[in-house]
Amino acid sequence: MTATPDRDVLEKRAAALTLPTRLFIDGEFVDAASGAAFDCVSPRNGTVIAEVAEGDATDIDRAVAAARAAFEDGRWARRSPRERRVVLQRLARLVEEHAEELALIEAIDMGKPFTDALAVDLRVTVQTLDFYAEAIDKTYDEVAPTAEDVLATITREPLGVVAAVVPWNFPLMMAIWKVAPALAVGNSVVVKPAEQSPLTALRLAELAAEAGLPAGVLNVVPGLGPTAGRAVGVHMDIDAVAFTGSGPVGRRFLQYAAESNIKQVSLELGGKSPQIVLPDAPDLDRVAEAIATGIFFNQGEVCTGGSRMLVHRSIKDELLEKVLEASRRKRVGDPLEPGVDIGALVESEHMNRVLGYIDIGREEGARTVLGGGRVLTESGGYFVEPTVFDQVDPHMRIAQEEIFGPVLSVIEFDSVDEAVRIANGTPYGLAAALWTTDLSTAHRVSRRLRAGTVWVNCYDDSDITVPFGGYGQSGFGRDKSLHALDKYAHLKSTWIKL
């Protein structure tokens, strides 16, 4: 295993990067039709690192036309499963080969620590590409049980043109969670990356072309939500939209679908995930580290972030002290600095939103026991220190609303029933965790938690083989696993009278 480069080395590599800044449509980089561009600002120091072409409705039209043409002539959809598998495998190897470059782009573009981007984002991206590449020629259709004078087949067929509207917190990984299964089924794809972090999606398109993906099959159009995003939502020739982001924007995509061609929409809209700690929890030091990591990883900009610590009153004081100790060990700093655990929030607007929630928590009567402010202001970057609130009432806004930052709310309970009631007492249902040594309790409580993922005696453990998605206002549809293929396919029944 090679050592992590020091900050000076990474600074030099970042300065030498040739950043992709133009739209990628029909196999080549092009300017926006309007000629407009927007500043891509690095959250680590507030400086402009690139001017990125700003796509609008005209550019979405161009990308969709290219994707539709590619789909209709079958240059990808009608290639043999083996041929498509080989292309996606080549793309996986290219991403693996360029992992340090892509991780560095993520660090300067989005603000996450370079070490996390390399160890988590790029590792999962490669695993996802490999998984869906292998699935292409190992996923079988069905023959229905019928009378002997009938042959009935059930076949999975691509939808056509799929749009992936992806968030800024895991720009490359979230894009691949949608792009890989959509391509595996045989669709053409238009990606609209978040304007805060568009660079790795553009680089991905370039690598896909190098891997042999035909022109028009993968298009990337950066742009703003009200223009490019809306154009995706109302487009009459897009067959499906896969969206990850905020609840208000997710609702807009449902409205757009109703206003246009009733396109399929899948939504992953965040969460307010609880970690429930029962009195018999194993190893409180391990629990405390998992709680601190569960909320402070990726600056708390994680949809599954364990933002609520639900702890039995009998062990609350002991566990809280251990959580505070673990949290104090989390180092805030420049994303290019080795050993940094918490980088910069993605943009000044989001930083101010997080700080606003911290103010709300104090106004509501919660007690700040750690952090609570902006730090490293001299850098010009958007850094917020790890923050822990004690004495939080479950109905406070900081315990109900997604903050999407490094803010933990500590809530006490007296019984398992009360813990489940509090855990399920938000509009969200993306993830939850339970800490107990009692196997029966683990089974019973896990079944009662209204969440798409429940972890027992761990947090945020997973791999590509299991689905990811939520209940309630966390959205619907699943990323990851073979189940994700269903989002991007029609099921066709063919009934043949023999």
Side-chain angles (χ1 to χ4, degrees):
M1 184 174 180
T2 59
T4 302
D6 63 29
R7 178 175 171 177
D8 289 341
V9 170
L10 290 175
E11 289 271 13
K12 291 177 182 176
R13 291 181 185 176
L17 286 171
T18 301
L19 298 173
T21 60
R22 303 166 76 199
L23 317 180
F24 193 86
I25 297 176
D26 205 15
E28 58 183 344
F29 285 111
V30 296
D31 294 324
S34 68
F38 61 90
D39 288 340
C40 187
V41 176
S42 177
R44 61 188 286 259
N45 53 23
T47 62
V48 176
I49 56 174
E51 286 192 349
V52 177
E54 182 182 327
D56 59 17
T58 300
D59 301 298
I60 294 296
D61 283 343
R62 296 160 67 195
V64 173
R68 178 60 64 187
F71 180 74
E72 293 298 336
D73 69 22
R75 69 188 75 166
W76 178 250
R78 291 201 289 273
R79 289 178 72 171
S80 73
R82 181 185 177 279
E83 289 175 318
R84 283 186 278 126
R85 171 174 60 82
V86 169
V87 172
L88 285 193
Q89 286 175 325
R90 280 202 296 262
L91 178 56
R93 301 289 72 77
L94 285 170
V95 170
E96 196 169 43
E97 179 183 331
H98 292 271
E100 287 200 6
E101 172 200 346
L102 292 163
L104 185 55
I105 294 174
E106 295 280 60
I108 63 173
D109 191 17
M110 181 263 160
K112 68 176 62 199
F114 167 80
T115 49
D116 286 348
L118 188 59
V120 178
D121 299 43
L122 269 300
R123 174 179 57 82
V124 173
T125 296
V126 172
Q127 289 176 347
T128 302
L129 282 166
D130 278 330
F131 180 85
Y132 287 110
E134 288 289 353
I136 291 173
D137 59 359
K138 298 173 184 64
T139 304
Y140 290 79
D141 291 325
E142 303 169 41
V143 176
T146 61
E148 63 179 16
D149 62 341
V150 170
L151 173 64
T153 62
I154 304 165
T155 53
R156 180 185 285 114
E157 298 186 354
L159 297 175
V161 176
V162 171
V165 182
V166 298
W168 45 256
N169 59 331
F170 293 92
L172 181 60
M173 190 176 86
M174 293 288 102
I176 285 296
W177 276 13
K178 302 181 191 308
V179 169
L183 292 179
V185 174
N187 296 283
S188 296
V189 181
V190 176
V191 177
K192 192 282 184 190
E195 57 265 33
Q196 295 88 346
S197 55
L199 301 180
T200 47
L202 290 167
R203 185 70 176 107
L204 173 68
E206 190 174 24
L207 292 175
E210 184 178 341
L213 194 70
V217 176
L218 177 61
N219 307 272
V220 179
V221 183
L224 308 183
T227 50
R230 184 182 185 281
V232 165
V234 300
H235 206 287
M236 295 296 292
D237 203 25
I238 290 176
D239 299 294
V241 172
F243 172 76
T244 295
S246 72
V249 177
R251 286 177 171 84
R252 287 194 201 114
F253 276 105
L254 292 175
Q255 293 170 343
Y256 295 152
E259 293 168 5
S260 56
N261 60 341
I262 318 182
K263 58 178 63 66
Q264 295 185 28
V265 177
S266 59
L267 303 174
E268 194 269 277
L269 305 177
K272 196 68 183 173
S273 302
Q275 295 221 45
I276 302 172
V277 188
L278 299 182
D280 65 343
D283 189 356
L284 289 187
D285 289 320
R286 183 164 68 90
V287 175
E289 184 59 41
I291 288 173
T293 300
I295 182 58
F296 300 131
F297 172 69
N298 208 54
Q299 306 75 247
E301 296 169 326
V302 184
C303 51
T304 55
S307 55
R308 293 184 295 155
M309 175 179 128
L310 277 55
V311 56
H312 193 274
R313 195 178 305 275
S314 65
I315 60 170
K316 181 271 184 116
D317 291 341
E318 180 184 3
L319 180 59
L320 177 56
E321 186 52 45
K322 291 180 182 294
V323 169
L324 293 175
E325 290 174 6
S327 301
R328 292 186 187 104
R329 292 195 293 270
K330 300 296 181 185
R331 182 182 167 199
V332 183
D334 189 304
L336 302 189
E337 186 73 42
V340 162
D341 301 293
I342 301 173
L345 297 183
V346 70
E347 62 179 352
S348 60
E349 180 181 351
H350 182 61
M351 176 188 67
N352 291 331
R353 179 179 181 275
V354 171
L355 293 172
Y357 268 107
I358 292 172
D359 289 339
I360 288 169
R362 291 176 176 134
E363 292 165 3
E364 289 180 317
R367 184 168 69 94
T368 310
V369 291
L370 184 71
R374 182 182 181 183
V375 293
L376 304 178
T377 55
E378 70 283 356
S379 69
Y382 314 131
F383 299 91
V384 174
E385 61 189 332
T387 299
V388 179
F389 280 108
D390 190 15
Q391 299 175 4
V392 176
D393 183 277
H395 302 293
M396 291 178 177
R397 287 183 63 187
I398 60 170
Q400 286 287 318
E401 300 175 16
E402 187 176 44
I403 298 173
F404 222 61
V407 182
L408 176 68
S409 294
V410 179
I411 303 170
E412 299 178 13
F413 64 84
D414 291 304
S415 68
V416 171
D417 286 345
E418 183 185 11
V420 171
R421 199 161 51 245
I422 294 170
N424 290 339
T426 77
Y428 298 103
L430 189 58
L434 174 67
W435 297 85
T436 179
T437 54
D438 188 286
L439 183 60
S440 177
T441 298
H443 274 288
R444 288 186 291 103
V445 174
S446 296
R447 293 292 299 270
R448 294 173 64 190
L449 293 172
R450 299 287 296 169
T453 299
V454 177
W455 292 289
V456 178
N457 296 334
C458 60
Y459 199 79
D460 212 18
D461 283 4
S462 187
D463 65 24
I464 190 61
T465 62
V466 295
F468 178 81
Y471 290 18
Q473 292 185 29
S474 288
F476 51 86
R478 293 296 184 265
D479 290 320
K480 299 172 55 192
S481 82
L482 294 177
H483 293 281
L485 297 171
D486 295 337
K487 290 200 305 187
Y488 305 109
H490 289 300
L491 287 181
K492 174 179 284 185
S493 298
T494 304
W495 188 275
I496 304 172
K497 189 72 172 176
L498 300 176

